[in-house]
Amino acid sequence: MITPDLESGVKVWHLVKNHEHGDQKEGDRGSKMVSEIYLTRLLATKGTLQKFVDDLFETLFSTVHRDSALPLAIKYMFDFLDEQADKHGIHDQDVRHTWKSNCLPLRFWVNVIKNPQFVFDIHKSSITDACLSVVAQTFMDSCSTSEHRLGKDSPSNKLLYAKDIPNYKSWVERYYADINHLPAISDQDMNAYLAEQARLHSTEFNMLSALNEIYSYVSKYSEEITMALEQDEQAKKQRLAYKVEQLISAMSLES
């Protein structure tokens, strides 16, 4: 922001509020008063929405409080991450926690919270977008393992849910612990589950398009994938490395 100055002609301000600068003026106190009024309204609105936010977070971070059973894929994926951590000697629980958060809550649910139009046939206004971003940020902070240090200069959206985040963090930790204690999912059960999901949604997706996307990934990283398959015992039994090479050769001839 550039404002006139009698001596130099202009005055350059950095990206801070006026009242945070050294030479505070009378008008700045007025703007601070207005911001305090808006903060009161923010708190009132937050109180109105509190139950809905709590219900959302409790549903997403619970193996019990939900309309349906926890999908087998979540348990299978989390167990896979724990196996990989054991395999590579990673015993830091924060690392495992971060892996799981990056795979599901931060990759999937945050996107849905910020973009409800992906799921529902609705119009998202700019005001709604800003409000949902606050909820999404709170959701992300709840999945973080780092401690959040807040001060008087912290943005209002961070301060709004500052007291709630420790409680939400405990829900996330409980959610991961509950999943860890669930019975393990065998490869056969997982394959049966995927086959059933494929049958239920067979008319909703373009299978050839999905296969083409997978092939573009496989062809790009063919050497790494082949090498990994040659080192895996299960893959060796099914000769997967050889089959991948055959697939790439056939597709190359077709193209």
Side-chain angles (χ1 to χ4, degrees), residues 1-251:
M1 181 173 65
I2 300 177
T3 53
D5 183 77
L6 295 177
E7 294 179 3
S8 62
V10 294
K11 175 176 282 190
V12 181
W13 295 80
H14 291 287
L15 296 178
V16 293
K17 297 176 184 176
N18 286 3
H19 63 77
E20 291 172 350
H21 204 271
D23 50 350
Q24 179 177 339
K25 298 181 181 179
E26 189 66 33
D28 299 334
R29 285 197 289 272
S31 66
K32 187 175 182 182
M33 188 182 299
V34 170
S35 68
E36 288 174 353
I37 293 172
Y38 280 117
L39 183 59
T40 304
R41 293 180 181 177
L42 277 175
L43 291 170
T45 306
K46 185 239 180 185
T48 304
L49 298 174
Q50 187 71 51
K51 184 183 183 304
F52 299 99
V53 175
D54 285 349
D55 287 350
L56 171 66
F57 283 25
E58 186 172 19
T59 301
L60 298 184
F61 294 130
S62 174
T63 58
V64 181
H65 296 94
R66 47 195 309 130
D67 295 333
S68 59
L70 184 82
L72 298 185
I74 295 177
K75 168 63 178 173
Y76 190 86
M77 177 177 66
F78 280 15
D79 281 355
F80 169 77
L81 293 175
D82 284 330
E83 287 173 9
Q84 291 302 306
D86 291 337
K87 180 179 178 181
H88 297 283
I90 299 173
H91 304 294
D92 187 343
Q93 291 302 315
D94 285 353
V95 173
R96 298 181 183 223
H97 182 107
T98 302
W99 282 3
K100 294 171 184 178
S101 295
N102 286 339
C103 281
L104 181 63
L106 301 184
R107 179 169 291 274
F108 179 77
W109 286 121
V110 165
N111 212 12
V112 174
I113 292 171
K114 290 182 70 173
N115 302 287
Q117 73 275 16
F118 289 174
V119 181
F120 304 106
D121 186 15
I122 60 172
H123 168 69
K124 183 180 68 172
S125 66
S126 58
I127 300 271
T128 304
D129 181 53
C131 294
L132 291 175
S133 293
V134 174
V135 177
Q137 183 61 55
T138 303
F139 189 86
M140 289 188 281
D141 291 342
S142 303
C143 295
S144 174
T145 57
S146 59
E147 186 178 347
H148 290 79
R149 300 183 181 279
L150 300 174
K152 63 182 181 67
D153 298 327
S154 300
S156 57
N157 62 316
K158 289 272 190 179
L159 297 172
L160 270 178
Y161 286 93
K163 292 183 178 179
D164 303 285
I165 286 177
N167 189 36
Y168 294 153
K169 280 190 172 186
S170 68
W171 291 1
V172 177
E173 291 170 0
R174 180 198 64 193
Y175 176 61
Y176 292 165
D178 288 347
I179 292 176
N180 188 50
H181 293 136
L182 291 173
I185 308 298
S186 67
D187 290 344
Q188 291 79 5
D189 289 341
M190 188 63 201
N191 288 334
Y193 171 77
L194 293 175
E196 177 63 13
Q197 292 301 311
R199 186 188 66 79
L200 291 173
H201 305 284
S202 58
T203 60
E204 299 175 22
F205 301 99
N206 187 324
M207 186 182 297
L208 292 178
S209 177
L211 288 172
N212 185 59
E213 289 295 323
I214 294 173
Y215 172 72
S216 65
Y217 178 86
V218 170
S219 61
K220 184 177 181 181
Y221 299 101
S222 58
E223 291 184 13
E224 292 89 338
I225 292 173
T226 304
M227 190 179 299
L229 291 174
E230 288 173 347
Q231 294 173 355
D232 185 271
E233 291 300 324
Q234 286 294 111
K236 283 181 182 178
K237 293 178 182 177
Q238 300 178 48
R239 302 179 67 201
L240 293 183
Y242 172 69
K243 291 178 181 178
V244 167
E245 289 175 350
Q246 278 192 317
L247 170 66
I248 294 173
S249 298
M251 291 293 288

